[in-house]
Amino acid sequence: MAKFIGTLEEFEQFIGPATNKIVTKLGKTLKKKSQASCQNHKLGEHTITAEKCGKHKSLDAAHFSHLAKDRKSIIAAILKQNFPQIKGEYEVCLSEFLIHYEAAHHPLDESLIMLCRQHHSAYDRKNRTVDEACYQETDQLITIQIPDNQELNVNTIKKALMQQIHYLEGKICNIAKISGKIWNFNINKENAEGFLLCYNQFDASVSILKYVDAHEIGNLKKNKETMSIIIPVQEEEFIDKASQFKFEFIEHVYLINE
């Protein structure tokens, strides 16, 4: 069985994509079972505005971070209870950890809540602002610090994401913001592997998608070197309009301009 040996912080970075997939799967179950729309009104004083929302598309499964049930707290508790630590490093059986991680989310409605992206971002901001010292970052929050008088544009966001998300470091990344209800990318057809950063400027979020072979997707432009990719924003899944290629969804991240 595959094992990981390293510190808690190293393990959090390594295991991130796998834990996000579990949370996405559990979120779909929770949505079908009892939370088909945004549940922002249930958060009360723990969010910025506890208004009733009712949106039922593009929902995120958010951890109850104000109850210390965020991703990082769950990971730390599982390692402490189930795996030995020697000289600051854990030896983790990956398959065993993932079983514990999924089990730690049950009952689902006591660990996760379905929120639209706007209210998920507001919930994260509220919990970060209330107590900076004990704030436990959720699995979907990236803080972007912008120097004075520098505009928050797509290039700034791309640079910050590539610096702060370990699996993007040194990789081919393209970013696009919403224009006319679509994300429009132009990528080199020779790209063997890369990531698309779908920036939603209306709720300050980015959806990170992965592709393996650029030849499989999009339309080849007249220059014969560039593939044009169009992804409709209204789609719950991320699918190229022309080729119907379905991208691998990695995670949503939310941006804070400080």
Side-chain angles (χ1 to χ4, degrees):
M1 294 185 181
K3 290 187 177 182
F4 173 93
I5 299 176
T7 66
L8 172 60
E9 291 75 18
E10 291 169 340
F11 184 69
E12 287 171 348
Q13 291 187 339
F14 171 81
I15 204 66
T19 57
N20 287 337
K21 287 181 180 180
I22 289 176
V23 172
T24 299
K25 181 185 74 172
L26 295 177
K28 290 179 179 179
T29 299
L30 183 60
K31 183 178 180 181
K32 290 180 181 179
K33 182 179 178 181
S34 60
Q35 297 188 20
S37 62
C38 177
Q39 303 294 298
N40 179 67
H41 58 284
K42 293 183 178 180
L43 291 172
E45 63 181 5
H46 302 295
T47 191
I48 294 175
T49 305
E51 60 189 0
K52 187 172 179 62
C53 176
K55 290 182 181 178
H56 63 276
K57 288 187 177 181
S58 299
L59 299 182
D60 294 334
H63 283 103
F64 281 123
S65 55
H66 72 279
L67 298 176
K69 293 185 177 181
D70 55 279
R71 181 180 66 97
K72 287 190 174 183
S73 294
I74 293 172
I75 290 174
I78 292 173
L79 294 192
K80 184 177 180 180
Q81 295 170 11
N82 299 279
F83 300 99
Q85 185 182 25
I86 302 175
K87 295 182 180 180
E89 292 187 332
Y90 290 93
E91 182 174 330
V92 185
C93 172
L94 297 179
S95 59
E96 183 181 346
F97 170 83
L98 293 175
I99 291 172
H100 285 302
Y101 186 79
E102 182 166 345
H105 287 79
H106 291 278
L108 292 181
D109 57 2
E110 293 181 11
S111 61
L112 298 173
I113 185 169
M114 302 306 297
L115 298 174
C116 70
R117 293 171 188 173
Q118 177 183 352
H119 286 124
H120 188 174
S121 180
Y123 175 57
D124 286 337
R125 290 192 184 101
K126 170 71 173 183
N127 286 279
R128 187 175 190 275
T129 302
V130 169
D131 191 347
E132 182 76 25
C134 68
Y135 170 69
Q136 295 292 330
E137 183 175 273
T138 70
D139 51 316
Q140 297 174 321
L141 180 63
I142 296 293
T143 299
I144 296 209
Q145 297 181 349
I146 307 300
D148 292 341
N149 301 320
Q150 184 172 332
E151 182 183 359
L152 180 62
N153 55 37
V154 291
N155 291 326
T156 304
I157 293 168
K158 175 183 173 181
K159 181 179 178 181
L161 293 176
M162 293 183 70
Q163 289 175 342
Q164 298 185 45
I165 300 179
H166 73 98
Y167 59 82
L168 296 181
E169 293 179 5
K171 300 297 184 180
I172 297 173
C173 295
N174 295 80
I175 188 168
K177 66 179 181 180
I178 294 173
S179 177
K181 297 185 179 181
I182 63 169
W183 288 290
N184 191 351
F185 296 89
N186 292 304
I187 66 173
N188 191 309
K189 71 173 185 178
E190 301 301 328
N191 290 354
E193 179 182 270
F195 294 88
L196 301 183
L197 310 177
C198 299
Y199 173 44
N200 184 335
Q201 64 268 35
F202 302 106
D203 66 4
S205 71
V206 178
S207 301
I208 301 178
L209 315 179
K210 182 179 180 180
Y211 64 90
V212 175
D213 187 351
H215 287 93
E216 299 179 3
I217 53 181
N219 271 333
L220 184 63
K221 301 187 77 172
K222 291 182 179 180
N223 62 14
K224 304 298 183 181
E225 296 179 355
T226 306
M227 304 298 292
S228 174
I229 299 170
I230 296 176
I231 303 175
V233 175
Q234 66 268 23
E235 297 283 353
E236 291 191 10
E237 296 179 318
F238 297 87
I239 301 175
D240 173 59
K241 188 174 181 179
S243 64
Q244 293 299 296
F245 178 86
K246 182 179 178 181
F247 290 91
E248 179 184 354
F249 169 72
I250 304 299
E251 64 178 327
H252 293 301
V253 297
Y254 293 89
L255 311 175
I256 295 178
N257 184 8
E258 293 190 333

